[in-house]
């Protein structure tokens, strides 16, 4: 059972959002974490590490590592993909950035973004300096998920629609709450940390298709540590930075009320169970994934090739395509945010993998010829639950068809989502594929099983390092 907060849900409208969150952070105990949530945390760590491995070969990985190496502080925390020790902020910046470079890291629908790639780099770094246990880290992870998902339910649709990158903007707030839980911060400290997180919430969708998108995730992880560290020293921030007259919600989100989304925090099923985490099976923007699954199914079932296709029509649920800003991508990074390229790669190659997102693959003549034949629209109605319908209109003579004949598939429940989770062995297979892509000789089976069996009472930093970089 979660301990009751100092107020009842009926009192919520009179209590500010920062104070509500701080009460939850201060009173929710780590020993309330159940085994299912603990295992979800382990899976998130495995999956986020896999995404970081995949991103480690991108040019931006070397650049952020070079920058972080210049940050002068005690080398306490670990860069996941090399074992190098850096300051806790520098390590969080690197791990968060490379964890998002391949766009292969997990998602939660209420956030409309990526929670683990912000939460886990921040918590792993802080755990290294605090000596935290595995259970304490994943309890803090659950707290961060709670804050992110509840904020997301209140504001994410309009917030993302305005052009903000919720992985950074909501992520930094949730990560600050998580870090405060890990250090057992009091309410006043947590309120200040949340305000300092708001002071650093600035990610924009204008950076999609460039290295800066991944930097925004790394920056959020580092900024959460900065906010927590300053607040711990007594550095203060506004108590109404979230929902005051000049606060985050009014400035960034159009003024949606937070009170209903936070009212029963600590009283109901945790968001780590309620929303869960969606594991990505394709390394590109999640907004394409239902359509990719539909296209791959149509290709497999009907034997369709690019020469058979007169047109591809993609219809999705409302507000689903906001991140897809490149109808005619020119680079691999731009291709990650293009429904047109996702459909072309799925149709031509029969797979969408890490190898799909190079400049050369995007520039292929067959791909470029197919892009103009893909049209996309959003349906009216509610943005959730998400769905996508792909209709392929065939050329005359394709498989005996008449001109104008078509095949169609609608996907609502996506493979890998919290509603249809992949088993642990497929998550380990994803890690192995990421290691192979990165040219690493690390044994994915060994690391995967090691991460999924981290002992709750072990010191997180030591146990994590021993799995990734065992002593010889």
């Amino acid at each position: 059972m979660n301990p009751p907060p100092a107020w009842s849900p009926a009192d919520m409208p009179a209590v500010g959002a920062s104070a509500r969150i701080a009460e939850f952070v201060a009173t929710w105990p780590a020993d309330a974490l159940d085994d299912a949530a603990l295992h979800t945390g382990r899976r998130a760590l495995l999956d986020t590490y896999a995404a970081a491995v995949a991103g480690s070969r991108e040019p931006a990985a070397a650049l952020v590592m070079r920058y972080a190496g210049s940050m002068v502080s005690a080398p306490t925390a670990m860069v996941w993909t090399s074992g190098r020790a850096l300051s806790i902020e520098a390590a969080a910046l690197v791990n968060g950035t490379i964890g998002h470079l391949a766009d292969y890291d997990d998602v939660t629908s209420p956030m409309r973004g990526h929670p683990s790639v912000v939460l886990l780099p921040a918590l792993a770094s802080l755990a290294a300096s605090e000596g935290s246990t595995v259970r304490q880290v994943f309890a803090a992870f659950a707290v961060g998920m709670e804050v992110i998902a509840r904020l997301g339910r209140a504001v994410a649709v309009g917030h993302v629609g305005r052009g903000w990158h919720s992985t950074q903007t909501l992520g930094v707030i949730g990560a600050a709450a998580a870090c405060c839980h890990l250090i057992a911060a009091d309410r006043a400290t947590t309120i200040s940390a949340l305000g300092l997180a708001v002071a650093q919430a600035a990610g924009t969708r204008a950076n999609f298709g460039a290295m800066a998108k991944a930097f925004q995730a790394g920056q959020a992880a580092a900024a959460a540590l900065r906010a927590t560290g300053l607040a711990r020293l007594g550095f203060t921030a506004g108590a109404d930075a979230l929902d005051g007259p000049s606060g985050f919600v009014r400035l960034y989100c159009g003024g949606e009320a937070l009170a209903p989304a936070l009212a029963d925090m600590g009283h109901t099923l945790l968001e780590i169970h309620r929303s869960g985490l969606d594991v990505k099976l394709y390394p590109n923007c999640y907004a394409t994934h239902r359509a990719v699954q539909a296209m791959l199914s149509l290709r497999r079932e009907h034997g369709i090739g690019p020469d058979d296709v007169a047109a591809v029509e993609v219809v999705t649920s409302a507000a689903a395509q906001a991140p897809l800003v490149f109808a005619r991508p020119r680079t691999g990074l731009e291709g990650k945010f293009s429904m047109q390229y996702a459909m072309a790669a799925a149709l031509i190659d029969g797979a969408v993998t890490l190898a799909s997102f190079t400049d050369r693959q995007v520039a292929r003549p067959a791909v470029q010829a197919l892009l103009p034949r893909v049209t996309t629209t959003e349906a009216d109605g509610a943005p959730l639950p998400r769905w996508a319908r792909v209709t392929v209109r065939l050329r005359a003579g394709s498989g005996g068809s008449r001109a104008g004949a078509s095949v169609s598939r609608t996907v609502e429940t996506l493979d890998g989502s919290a509603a249809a989770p992949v088993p642990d062995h497929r998550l380990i297979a994803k890690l192995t594929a990421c290691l192979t892509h990165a040219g690493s000789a690390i044994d994915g089976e060994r690391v995967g099983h090691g991460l999924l069996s981290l002992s709750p009472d072990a010191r997180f930093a030591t146990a994590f390092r021993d799995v990734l970089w065992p002593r010889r």
Side-chain angles (χ1 to χ4, degrees):
M1 292 289 294
N2 299 335
W7 55 75
S8 71
D11 299 325
M12 290 300 104
V15 181
S18 294
R20 287 196 289 277
I21 292 172
E23 180 72 15
F24 170 70
V25 169
T27 60
W28 192 80
D31 59 13
L33 188 77
D34 61 25
D35 289 344
L38 176 65
H39 193 61
T40 296
R42 293 187 185 114
R43 281 170 56 92
L45 180 63
L46 191 167
D47 189 60
T48 308
Y49 168 66
V53 169
S56 66
R57 65 177 291 173
E58 296 292 325
L63 296 178
V64 72
M65 186 68 224
R66 191 166 74 187
Y67 171 79
S70 69
M71 298 173 70
V72 179
S73 186
T76 302
M78 174 184 63
V79 175
W80 299 351
T81 55
S82 69
R84 178 177 173 179
L86 294 174
S87 71
I88 63 170
E89 278 191 37
L93 174 66
V94 171
N95 291 327
T97 300
I98 62 177
H100 201 46
L101 277 170
D103 224 293
Y104 215 2
D105 49 302
D106 65 27
V107 170
T108 192
S109 289
M111 181 194 196
R112 298 181 70 85
H114 305 257
S116 296
V117 78
V118 177
L119 292 172
L120 288 172
L123 291 171
S125 284
L126 188 57
S129 65
E130 297 294 312
S132 310
T133 66
V134 169
R135 178 177 295 280
Q136 289 170 330
V137 168
F138 290 130
F141 177 78
V143 165
M145 274 283 297
E146 190 75 11
V147 173
I148 284 171
R150 285 177 176 265
L151 291 176
R153 289 183 188 280
V155 306
V157 172
H159 180 64
V160 172
R162 288 173 172 84
W164 295 105
H165 182 200
S166 58
T167 298
Q168 204 283 343
T169 54
L170 301 185
V172 67
I173 297 169
C179 289
C180 284
H181 188 273
L182 191 63
I183 66 170
D186 61 23
R187 292 159 183 78
T189 299
T190 302
I191 289 171
S192 288
L194 294 170
L196 289 165
V198 168
Q200 302 172 88
T204 170
R205 286 197 286 113
N207 283 322
F208 284 21
M211 295 177 182
K213 180 179 188 278
F215 164 77
Q216 290 173 174
Q219 164 65 7
L225 291 170
R226 193 175 307 127
T228 304
L230 286 168
R232 193 180 201 179
L233 294 173
F235 202 102
T236 60
D240 61 354
L242 280 173
D243 61 347
S246 299
F248 176 84
V249 171
R250 182 167 182 179
L251 297 176
Y252 286 56
C253 312
E256 293 95 329
L258 289 184
L262 302 179
D264 59 357
M265 181 180 281
H267 284 276
T268 59
L269 185 69
L270 289 174
E271 292 283 356
I272 197 169
H273 298 304
R274 180 185 177 193
S275 302
L277 291 169
D278 296 355
V279 171
K280 295 179 75 171
L281 301 184
Y282 315 111
N284 64 332
C285 182
Y286 200 57
T288 71
H289 283 208
R290 284 172 174 79
V292 169
Q293 184 170 312
M295 176 61 84
L296 292 175
S297 295
L298 291 172
R299 185 184 188 276
R300 182 174 58 252
E301 293 170 12
H302 299 281
I304 302 169
D307 293 338
D308 302 320
V309 175
V312 176
E313 300 167 1
V314 182
V315 182
T316 68
S317 48
Q321 298 181 41
L324 303 177
V325 293
F326 296 101
R328 302 291 183 270
R330 299 163 297 171
T331 67
L333 281 175
E334 290 180 354
K336 288 180 178 288
F337 303 95
S338 172
M339 182 69 83
Q340 289 79 3
Y341 179 66
M343 294 296 92
L347 182 59
I348 293 170
D349 302 324
V352 178
T353 69
L354 288 162
S356 302
F357 296 97
T358 65
D359 294 352
R360 177 176 294 181
Q361 289 294 94
V362 172
R364 287 176 290 170
V367 166
Q368 292 297 318
L370 189 57
L371 296 179
R373 286 183 259 159
V374 180
T375 60
T376 65
T377 56
E378 292 179 347
D380 295 330
L384 295 176
R386 292 185 177 185
W387 56 269
R389 181 173 65 251
V390 175
T391 300
V392 179
R393 303 204 178 278
L394 302 171
R395 297 183 187 276
S398 300
S401 71
R402 295 177 288 105
S406 65
V407 292
S408 183
R409 172 62 60 89
T410 299
V411 171
E412 297 174 351
T413 302
L414 181 62
D415 293 345
S417 68
V422 295
D424 290 350
H425 72 84
R426 286 194 64 187
L427 203 56
I428 293 172
K430 175 180 173 177
L431 170 59
T432 299
C434 289
L435 288 163
T436 300
H437 177 76
S440 174
I442 292 175
D443 182 349
E445 287 279 334
R446 178 189 63 77
V447 171
H449 286 294
L451 293 178
L452 292 178
S453 59
L454 289 172
S455 171
D457 298 323
R459 296 295 181 188
F460 180 88
T462 302
F464 189 26
R465 176 179 287 277
D466 286 349
V467 170
L468 300 187
W469 305 98
R471 298 183 182 92
R472 297 186 181 278

mmCIF file of all heavy atoms in Angstrom, residues 5-17 20 23 243 258-260 262-265 267:
data_model
loop_
_atom_site.group_PDB
_atom_site.id
_atom_site.type_symbol
_atom_site.label_atom_id
_atom_site.label_comp_id
_atom_site.label_asym_id
_atom_site.label_seq_id
_atom_site.Cartn_x
_atom_site.Cartn_y
_atom_site.Cartn_z
ATOM 1 N N PRO A 5 -1.031 10.708 1.443
ATOM 2 C CA PRO A 5 -0.402 12.013 1.579
ATOM 3 C C PRO A 5 -1.032 12.805 2.707
ATOM 4 O O PRO A 5 -2.001 12.360 3.340
ATOM 5 C CB PRO A 5 -0.673 12.665 0.217
ATOM 6 C CG PRO A 5 -1.932 12.018 -0.254
ATOM 7 C CD PRO A 5 -1.883 10.606 0.273
ATOM 8 N N ALA A 6 -0.492 14.004 2.938
ATOM 9 C CA ALA A 6 -0.962 14.807 4.057
ATOM 10 C C ALA A 6 -2.299 15.468 3.780
ATOM 11 O O ALA A 6 -2.826 16.166 4.635
ATOM 12 C CB ALA A 6 0.082 15.869 4.406
ATOM 13 N N TRP A 7 -2.837 15.304 2.567
ATOM 14 C CA TRP A 7 -4.148 15.856 2.228
ATOM 15 C C TRP A 7 -4.979 14.779 1.547
ATOM 16 O O TRP A 7 -4.462 13.737 1.155
ATOM 17 C CB TRP A 7 -3.983 17.054 1.293
ATOM 18 C CG TRP A 7 -3.192 16.716 0.075
ATOM 19 C CD1 TRP A 7 -3.601 15.995 -1.013
ATOM 20 C CD2 TRP A 7 -1.831 17.035 -0.174
ATOM 21 N NE1 TRP A 7 -2.594 15.854 -1.920
ATOM 22 C CE2 TRP A 7 -1.484 16.489 -1.435
ATOM 23 C CE3 TRP A 7 -0.859 17.747 0.534
ATOM 24 C CZ2 TRP A 7 -0.217 16.625 -1.997
ATOM 25 C CZ3 TRP A 7 0.407 17.875 -0.038
ATOM 26 C CH2 TRP A 7 0.705 17.310 -1.279
ATOM 27 N N SER A 8 -6.234 15.041 1.393
ATOM 28 C CA SER A 8 -7.091 14.139 0.635
ATOM 29 C C SER A 8 -7.275 14.695 -0.766
ATOM 30 O O SER A 8 -7.020 15.880 -1.011
ATOM 31 C CB SER A 8 -8.460 14.032 1.317
ATOM 32 O OG SER A 8 -9.174 15.251 1.164
ATOM 33 N N PRO A 9 -7.703 13.860 -1.737
ATOM 34 C CA PRO A 9 -7.916 14.363 -3.096
ATOM 35 C C PRO A 9 -8.840 15.564 -3.157
ATOM 36 O O PRO A 9 -8.694 16.422 -4.020
ATOM 37 C CB PRO A 9 -8.499 13.146 -3.820
ATOM 38 C CG PRO A 9 -7.899 11.978 -3.093
ATOM 39 C CD PRO A 9 -7.854 12.404 -1.653
ATOM 40 N N ALA A 10 -9.775 15.676 -2.226
ATOM 41 C CA ALA A 10 -10.701 16.809 -2.244
ATOM 42 C C ALA A 10 -9.991 18.133 -1.982
ATOM 43 O O ALA A 10 -10.482 19.199 -2.338
ATOM 44 C CB ALA A 10 -11.794 16.597 -1.200
ATOM 45 N N ASP A 11 -8.804 18.062 -1.353
ATOM 46 C CA ASP A 11 -8.058 19.286 -1.049
ATOM 47 C C ASP A 11 -7.226 19.780 -2.219
ATOM 48 O O ASP A 11 -6.660 20.869 -2.165
ATOM 49 C CB ASP A 11 -7.099 19.049 0.126
ATOM 50 C CG ASP A 11 -7.822 18.653 1.400
ATOM 51 O OD1 ASP A 11 -8.931 19.166 1.615
ATOM 52 O OD2 ASP A 11 -7.271 17.844 2.160
ATOM 53 N N MET A 12 -7.114 18.975 -3.308
ATOM 54 C CA MET A 12 -6.138 19.248 -4.337
ATOM 55 C C MET A 12 -6.211 20.629 -4.982
ATOM 56 O O MET A 12 -5.192 21.260 -5.197
ATOM 57 C CB MET A 12 -6.225 18.178 -5.442
ATOM 58 C CG MET A 12 -5.739 16.813 -5.007
ATOM 59 S SD MET A 12 -4.010 16.814 -4.463
ATOM 60 C CE MET A 12 -4.236 16.724 -2.700
ATOM 61 N N PRO A 13 -7.394 21.154 -5.318
ATOM 62 C CA PRO A 13 -7.417 22.452 -5.987
ATOM 63 C C PRO A 13 -6.749 23.554 -5.180
ATOM 64 O O PRO A 13 -6.303 24.548 -5.735
ATOM 65 C CB PRO A 13 -8.913 22.721 -6.195
ATOM 66 C CG PRO A 13 -9.526 21.355 -6.227
ATOM 67 C CD PRO A 13 -8.737 20.571 -5.228
ATOM 68 N N ALA A 14 -6.677 23.419 -3.846
ATOM 69 C CA ALA A 14 -6.093 24.459 -3.010
ATOM 70 C C ALA A 14 -4.586 24.297 -2.847
ATOM 71 O O ALA A 14 -3.943 25.127 -2.224
ATOM 72 C CB ALA A 14 -6.766 24.450 -1.638
ATOM 73 N N VAL A 15 -4.022 23.227 -3.384
ATOM 74 C CA VAL A 15 -2.610 22.933 -3.201
ATOM 75 C C VAL A 15 -1.891 23.056 -4.541
ATOM 76 O O VAL A 15 -2.352 22.529 -5.547
ATOM 77 C CB VAL A 15 -2.422 21.502 -2.638
ATOM 78 C CG1 VAL A 15 -0.954 21.204 -2.422
ATOM 79 C CG2 VAL A 15 -3.198 21.347 -1.342
ATOM 80 N N GLY A 16 -0.775 23.750 -4.570
ATOM 81 C CA GLY A 16 -0.038 23.927 -5.812
ATOM 82 C C GLY A 16 0.553 22.631 -6.320
ATOM 83 O O GLY A 16 0.803 21.688 -5.556
ATOM 84 N N ALA A 17 0.810 22.562 -7.631
ATOM 85 C CA ALA A 17 1.306 21.329 -8.251
ATOM 86 C C ALA A 17 2.663 20.925 -7.695
ATOM 87 O O ALA A 17 2.916 19.739 -7.449
ATOM 88 C CB ALA A 17 1.376 21.514 -9.766
ATOM 89 N N ARG A 20 2.149 19.319 -4.357
ATOM 90 C CA ARG A 20 1.541 17.989 -4.483
ATOM 91 C C ARG A 20 2.584 16.948 -4.866
ATOM 92 O O ARG A 20 2.638 15.855 -4.308
ATOM 93 C CB ARG A 20 0.415 18.025 -5.523
ATOM 94 C CG ARG A 20 -0.826 18.752 -5.045
ATOM 95 C CD ARG A 20 -2.027 18.430 -5.917
ATOM 96 N NE ARG A 20 -1.945 19.034 -7.250
ATOM 97 C CZ ARG A 20 -2.286 20.277 -7.518
ATOM 98 N NH1 ARG A 20 -2.698 21.076 -6.555
ATOM 99 N NH2 ARG A 20 -2.214 20.737 -8.750
ATOM 100 N N GLU A 23 5.057 16.270 -2.020
ATOM 101 C CA GLU A 23 4.501 15.396 -0.986
ATOM 102 C C GLU A 23 4.593 13.933 -1.412
ATOM 103 O O GLU A 23 4.983 13.061 -0.622
ATOM 104 C CB GLU A 23 3.047 15.775 -0.705
ATOM 105 C CG GLU A 23 2.362 14.930 0.361
ATOM 106 C CD GLU A 23 2.855 15.212 1.767
ATOM 107 O OE1 GLU A 23 3.518 16.256 1.960
ATOM 108 O OE2 GLU A 23 2.587 14.389 2.655
ATOM 109 N N ASP A 243 2.612 25.587 -12.008
ATOM 110 C CA ASP A 243 1.244 25.963 -12.345
ATOM 111 C C ASP A 243 0.840 27.344 -11.863
ATOM 112 O O ASP A 243 -0.341 27.654 -11.755
ATOM 113 C CB ASP A 243 0.259 24.923 -11.819
ATOM 114 C CG ASP A 243 0.292 24.780 -10.304
ATOM 115 O OD1 ASP A 243 1.232 25.294 -9.670
ATOM 116 O OD2 ASP A 243 -0.630 24.144 -9.749
ATOM 117 N N LEU A 258 -3.490 21.326 -13.920
ATOM 118 C CA LEU A 258 -2.765 20.136 -13.477
ATOM 119 C C LEU A 258 -3.474 19.416 -12.340
ATOM 120 O O LEU A 258 -3.262 18.216 -12.147
ATOM 121 C CB LEU A 258 -1.356 20.520 -13.003
ATOM 122 C CG LEU A 258 -0.341 20.957 -14.055
ATOM 123 C CD1 LEU A 258 1.016 21.195 -13.402
ATOM 124 C CD2 LEU A 258 -0.213 19.903 -15.149
ATOM 125 N N ALA A 259 -4.286 20.145 -11.579
ATOM 126 C CA ALA A 259 -4.866 19.558 -10.365
ATOM 127 C C ALA A 259 -5.578 18.230 -10.607
ATOM 128 O O ALA A 259 -5.368 17.273 -9.866
ATOM 129 C CB ALA A 259 -5.797 20.563 -9.698
ATOM 130 N N PRO A 260 -6.423 18.101 -11.645
ATOM 131 C CA PRO A 260 -7.107 16.805 -11.824
ATOM 132 C C PRO A 260 -6.147 15.650 -12.076
ATOM 133 O O PRO A 260 -6.394 14.528 -11.613
ATOM 134 C CB PRO A 260 -8.002 17.062 -13.044
ATOM 135 C CG PRO A 260 -8.219 18.542 -13.059
ATOM 136 C CD PRO A 260 -6.929 19.124 -12.583
ATOM 137 N N LEU A 262 -3.126 15.308 -10.934
ATOM 138 C CA LEU A 262 -2.269 15.021 -9.781
ATOM 139 C C LEU A 262 -3.056 14.695 -8.524
ATOM 140 O O LEU A 262 -2.478 14.295 -7.518
ATOM 141 C CB LEU A 262 -1.370 16.232 -9.499
ATOM 142 C CG LEU A 262 -0.456 16.704 -10.625
ATOM 143 C CD1 LEU A 262 0.338 17.931 -10.184
ATOM 144 C CD2 LEU A 262 0.480 15.607 -11.090
ATOM 145 N N ALA A 263 -4.370 14.854 -8.566
ATOM 146 C CA ALA A 263 -5.180 14.800 -7.348
ATOM 147 C C ALA A 263 -5.032 13.500 -6.575
ATOM 148 O O ALA A 263 -4.925 13.511 -5.346
ATOM 149 C CB ALA A 263 -6.647 15.042 -7.688
ATOM 150 N N ASP A 264 -5.025 12.359 -7.263
ATOM 151 C CA ASP A 264 -4.981 11.081 -6.549
ATOM 152 C C ASP A 264 -3.599 10.441 -6.601
ATOM 153 O O ASP A 264 -3.454 9.238 -6.390
ATOM 154 C CB ASP A 264 -6.041 10.125 -7.097
ATOM 155 C CG ASP A 264 -5.869 9.854 -8.585
ATOM 156 O OD1 ASP A 264 -4.966 10.449 -9.213
ATOM 157 O OD2 ASP A 264 -6.650 9.037 -9.128
ATOM 158 N N MET A 265 -2.569 11.231 -6.862
ATOM 159 C CA MET A 265 -1.199 10.705 -6.887
ATOM 160 C C MET A 265 -0.864 10.044 -5.547
ATOM 161 O O MET A 265 -1.020 10.632 -4.487
ATOM 162 C CB MET A 265 -0.215 11.841 -7.175
ATOM 163 C CG MET A 265 1.236 11.401 -7.243
ATOM 164 S SD MET A 265 2.363 12.797 -7.597
ATOM 165 C CE MET A 265 2.135 12.961 -9.360
ATOM 166 N N HIS A 267 -2.478 7.460 -4.451
ATOM 167 C CA HIS A 267 -3.680 6.742 -3.999
ATOM 168 C C HIS A 267 -4.077 5.620 -4.953
ATOM 169 O O HIS A 267 -4.896 4.778 -4.596
ATOM 170 C CB HIS A 267 -4.869 7.711 -3.880
ATOM 171 C CG HIS A 267 -4.821 8.587 -2.674
ATOM 172 N ND1 HIS A 267 -5.278 8.202 -1.440
ATOM 173 C CD2 HIS A 267 -4.345 9.847 -2.521
ATOM 174 C CE1 HIS A 267 -5.106 9.185 -0.571
ATOM 175 N NE2 HIS A 267 -4.543 10.197 -1.198
#
